[in-house]
Amino acid sequence: MRPLADTYDPKAAALRCLNFRKRILEISQQVGALHIGSAFSCAEIVECIYYGLMRYSGEVNTLVDTFIMSKGHGCMIQYVILEAMGILTKTDMEEYCTPHGRLGCHPDYGNPGIEASTGSLGHGLPMAVGMAIAEKRKKDPGVIYAVLSDGEIQEGSTWEAIMMASSLEINNLVVFIDNNDFQSLGRTSETHPSFYPVDQKLSAFGWETVEMPGHDSLNIYRTIDARSGKKPMAAICKTTKGKGISFMENVPIWHYRSPNTKEYEIALDELRAAHPGVDF
Amino acid sequence: MRNIFAEALYKAATTNPDIFVVVADISPAGSMADFSRQYPDRFINVGVAEQSMIGICAGLALKGCQPFAYTIASFSLYRPFEFVRDDLGYQNLPVTVVGMGAGVIYSTLGGTHHTQEDIAVAGAIPNMQIIAPCDPLEVEEAVKYCAEQKNGPIYLRLGKSGEPELTKQAIEPWQFGRLRYLFRGTDICILSYGVVMKHANEVAKILLKEGKSVSLVSAHTLKPLDRENIENILSNHKKVIVIEEHAPEGGLSSRTKQIAWDIHAGCELHCFTLKDAFIHRYGGHDDLLAAHGISVKDILREIR
């Protein structure tokens, strides 16, 4: 069992994230049904999970750890990663959200690489806890990685699972909270000021917690890699919704909107400008 | 029923290491205590947190385990309904949701603890299977099925305690998805399931004493319903009586009427159900059933 590469190279990670964003923009021109802002918000987190943290027993399709996209609407980042790994096919992506395809706006259990159906918020963490319990029976338990949105931890079921994970002394569970501070009706810090500080609430429940920038791949990797492994861990990642494209960043409409042709070209230009010397 | 349930599950769990019991601060006594002592890693009390009870069961099942979620029916099915639908139904996972004390058995606790429409609710979920044993012996059979099957989720509707054994002399064995005749006659057929079978049995015995030829049938599997044998019952008897502790819609009565219409059945059909009402009455279980209009006396008066 080992990660995909011997060392986690931040430059390679940045290049991958660039390509993932570019691919998601491409898909946005096929079909107007995807949550770009939500996918871009957690691109570095999910990339780091797949390419740095999760262990494989052989090649890319032999994962021993488990990933759950609890904020199911952000799954486009997972899809493009699974495509890059050869777990999903190019055809899968071309047929995304079409009558012939098998991939929709939310992850569906049974599709390659998808370990649980999500989309309804507040389901991922209870399922992740159940998986972690099942894994604990093994001699070398798999680690369950889950990405939750900040809006999602307003769900009572999430707090039920937070309470249980620490009560059951689960230590093979790592949760990333994609804290972009946005939900449908506004900034979380403005609509629900009592929501913050999140990390203290989780610490009080007996979790190992950390607050960190959510777009710094190497820091994400190092922080999680250095976890104590004694408790369930939550990383509250400060992120920017729509990260990478100036007119999408922190603009609520990009939660779901797809760019038109002109916006698409501008978006590509911005990515190009931000990565000088990279062949596009 | 709950003691037999605990005993049967304990038995199954000793040979099947994949069985988990996840409870929400309610646990059957008896053998379940032995289970939790002997297999502490496979007995999880989530506390009063039913949504996560279902979610955790789903996570266990996604990793190959065979979990049972257990609490009072209104809290195992209604409270976490969307988790039952999405996590178990949509993902089609072999999790048994045990609804203990279903119907109006919690006769002194009021409507918050009653499940009058649970079969309609559970039955509307694709992939869901529903079993409602009528006595402790059927509970034992049902648990054996739940402990091994991989078809998908099950809602196991149980009574509470003190239910009499009614199927010891049954002329047909218990088989998932199949009606079973407890005894067979030619004129009248009484079709029932669950704890209220005690009423069905009593009515049948009285009619037998009066010289009638009576069948008594346990429809323990509500989903998938044994349609073929309901058709046979409707065709082979002059009078069919359905007795169920459930609302008029979405249970055995409405399904039987539907089938009777489909096959142009020529028999008389009487259905006795709970009212479509919250009745705010207290007392014993029989008092509640009577208040809903399904006492033995009411039934006999109606069918004569």
Side-chain angles (χ1 to χ4, degrees):
Chain A
M1 278 200 290
R2 54 177 182 75
L4 268 187
D6 294 336
T7 52
Y8 183 67
D9 174 5
K11 277 188 188 147
L15 191 58
R16 281 191 291 266
C17 287
L18 168 67
N19 284 320
F20 296 147
R21 285 195 169 87
K22 192 177 150 215
R23 181 74 175 122
I24 291 172
L25 286 168
E26 263 170 41
I27 293 159
S28 77
Q29 300 305 290
Q30 289 169 209
V31 56
L34 70 170
H35 298 83
I36 293 190
S38 312
F40 282 14
S41 172
C42 60
E44 281 73 18
I45 299 168
V46 182
E47 189 280 334
C48 181
I49 293 171
Y50 273 100
Y51 286 88
L53 297 170
M54 288 213 282
R55 295 162 301 162
Y56 301 76
S57 60
E59 292 311 309
V60 290
N61 54 356
T62 56
L63 282 157
V64 292
D65 295 326
T66 304
F67 173 67
I68 298 181
M69 192 70 177
S70 189
K71 47 168 276 185
H73 56 283
C75 67
M76 188 45 80
I77 184 65
Q78 184 185 15
Y79 287 170
V80 296
I81 288 174
L82 291 173
E83 181 194 23
M85 291 181 151
I87 295 171
L88 287 174
T89 65
K90 190 163 177 274
T91 310
D92 281 327
M93 302 307 283
E94 284 166 359
E95 293 178 346
Y96 167 76
C97 275
T98 67
H100 329 286
R102 55 180 172 178
L103 300 178
C105 269
H106 296 114
D108 243 350
Y109 174 60
N111 278 329
I114 304 300
E115 301 291 338
S117 295
T118 53
S120 174
L121 299 178
H123 287 248
L125 194 53
M127 287 196 279
V129 170
M131 288 176 164
I133 297 166
E135 283 291 333
K136 288 269 275 185
R137 300 198 297 164
K138 294 182 187 164
K139 206 171 156 205
D140 191 359
V143 177
I144 315 298
Y145 295 94
V147 171
L148 275 67
S149 67
D150 40 14
E152 187 170 14
I153 50 173
Q154 293 167 356
E155 292 280 6
S157 56
T158 300
W159 290 101
E160 291 181 9
I162 287 169
M163 173 181 75
M164 277 320 289
S166 43
S167 297
L168 292 170
E169 298 175 347
I170 286 167
N171 60 357
N172 55 333
L173 173 63
V174 178
V175 169
F176 296 84
I177 294 163
D178 179 3
N179 186 193
N180 57 35
D181 195 32
F182 269 93
Q183 50 192 116
S184 289
L185 293 186
R187 271 195 183 272
T188 310
S189 51
E190 289 167 9
T191 58
H192 296 79
S194 61
F195 182 80
Y196 295 100
V198 181
D199 57 338
Q200 289 181 21
K201 294 181 176 69
L202 280 144
S203 300
F205 268 100
W207 283 54
E208 181 178 352
T209 57
V210 62
E211 206 173 79
M212 63 182 179
H215 297 294
D216 180 345
S217 301
L218 186 60
N219 187 49
I220 295 171
Y221 174 75
R222 284 184 175 154
T223 306
I224 303 303
D225 193 49
R227 75 192 171 94
S228 75
K230 289 181 182 146
K231 296 173 171 184
M233 182 173 191
I236 293 90
C237 302
K238 293 287 177 194
T239 54
T240 302
K241 193 152 184 171
K243 174 74 180 177
I245 310 298
S246 64
F247 58 87
M248 292 185 186
E249 288 187 1
N250 296 330
V251 179
I253 194 179
W254 292 99
H255 176 71
Y256 190 70
R257 188 168 185 270
S258 284
N260 60 31
T261 316
K262 199 175 161 201
E263 288 161 342
Y264 171 66
E265 291 301 335
I266 297 170
L268 286 187
D269 284 345
E270 284 196 13
L271 288 182
R272 203 174 283 128
H275 296 85
V278 174
D279 187 18
F280 239 55
Chain B
M1 275 189 184
R2 57 186 171 189
N3 286 347
I4 295 292
F5 166 79
E7 203 177 294
L9 187 54
Y10 174 66
K11 227 183 270 172
T14 51
T15 53
N16 182 352
D18 290 334
I19 289 179
F20 275 73
V21 181
V22 185
V23 307
D25 204 35
I26 295 278
S27 177
S31 306
M32 204 43 66
D34 298 334
F35 178 92
S36 61
R37 261 194 305 274
Q38 206 168 330
Y39 309 108
D41 294 343
R42 292 198 275 142
F43 181 87
I44 298 162
N45 176 13
V46 297
V48 189
E50 293 83 3
Q51 299 179 97
S52 70
M53 171 179 74
I54 301 298
I56 286 171
C57 283
L60 286 164
L62 284 165
K63 291 287 182 188
C65 302
Q66 191 87 5
F68 283 69
Y70 181 96
T71 181
I72 296 173
S74 52
F75 311 128
S76 66
L77 180 67
Y78 293 171
R79 179 57 171 264
F81 176 75
E82 195 235 13
F83 288 73
V84 173
R85 178 191 179 272
D86 290 4
D87 296 359
L88 309 186
Y90 188 47
Q91 300 188 109
N92 199 21
L93 300 176
V95 174
T96 301
V97 176
V98 184
M100 196 267 288
V104 293
I105 288 179
Y106 280 106
S107 55
T108 58
L109 298 187
T112 56
H113 284 58
H114 295 167
T115 40
Q116 298 170 212
E117 63 284 70
D118 52 342
I119 288 164
V121 165
I125 303 173
N127 292 328
M128 184 59 78
Q129 308 162 80
I130 303 175
I131 308 175
C134 75
D135 76 346
L137 298 169
E138 284 199 348
V139 171
E140 228 177 321
E141 298 288 342
V143 170
K144 273 188 225 161
Y145 172 77
C146 297
E148 296 299 329
Q149 67 89 32
K150 291 287 179 192
N151 297 330
I154 298 173
Y155 174 57
L156 178 60
R157 188 195 216 230
L158 296 184
K160 208 169 61 175
S161 57
E163 291 85 359
E165 285 187 359
L166 301 170
T167 62
K168 207 165 192 169
Q169 313 289 332
I171 58 168
E172 289 183 347
W174 190 93
Q175 193 189 333
F176 173 77
R178 242 183 111 76
L179 299 180
R180 72 193 288 217
Y181 280 86
L182 304 187
F183 47 84
R184 194 191 284 262
T186 52
D187 297 334
I188 302 172
C189 180
I190 305 179
L191 190 56
S192 188
Y193 62 88
V195 178
V196 79
M197 181 64 90
K198 64 183 178 185
H199 277 21
N201 185 59
E202 220 177 309
V203 170
K205 292 281 160 67
I206 291 169
L207 295 174
L208 280 172
K209 261 191 200 151
E210 291 172 359
K212 305 267 186 354
S213 176
V214 182
S215 300
L216 182 62
V217 171
S218 166
H220 48 79
T221 304
L222 279 309
K223 193 180 177 187
L225 191 62
D226 185 359
R227 191 186 162 97
E228 191 187 334
N229 278 312
I230 291 189
E231 287 180 8
N232 292 340
I233 285 170
L234 292 164
S235 306
N236 300 336
H237 295 83
K238 296 187 191 81
K239 192 183 278 193
V240 174
I241 300 160
V242 181
I243 303 173
E244 66 174 330
E245 187 175 349
H246 187 271
E249 302 301 328
L252 184 62
S253 298
S254 57
R255 290 294 310 279
T256 305
K257 283 180 188 166
Q258 206 174 12
I259 296 167
W261 171 264
D262 290 348
I263 64 163
H264 307 290
C267 63
E268 263 183 50
L269 178 57
H270 299 265
C271 293
F272 297 89
T273 68
L274 296 177
K275 290 177 180 165
D276 177 21
F278 296 116
I279 60 170
H280 301 276
R281 297 280 291 274
Y282 304 93
H285 185 214
D286 285 354
D287 296 319
L288 268 279
L289 292 175
H292 272 281
I294 45 176
S295 67
V296 171
K297 222 167 89 186
D298 289 326
I299 297 166
L300 285 169
R301 193 181 53 241
E302 284 280 325
I303 60 170
R304 275 181 174 143

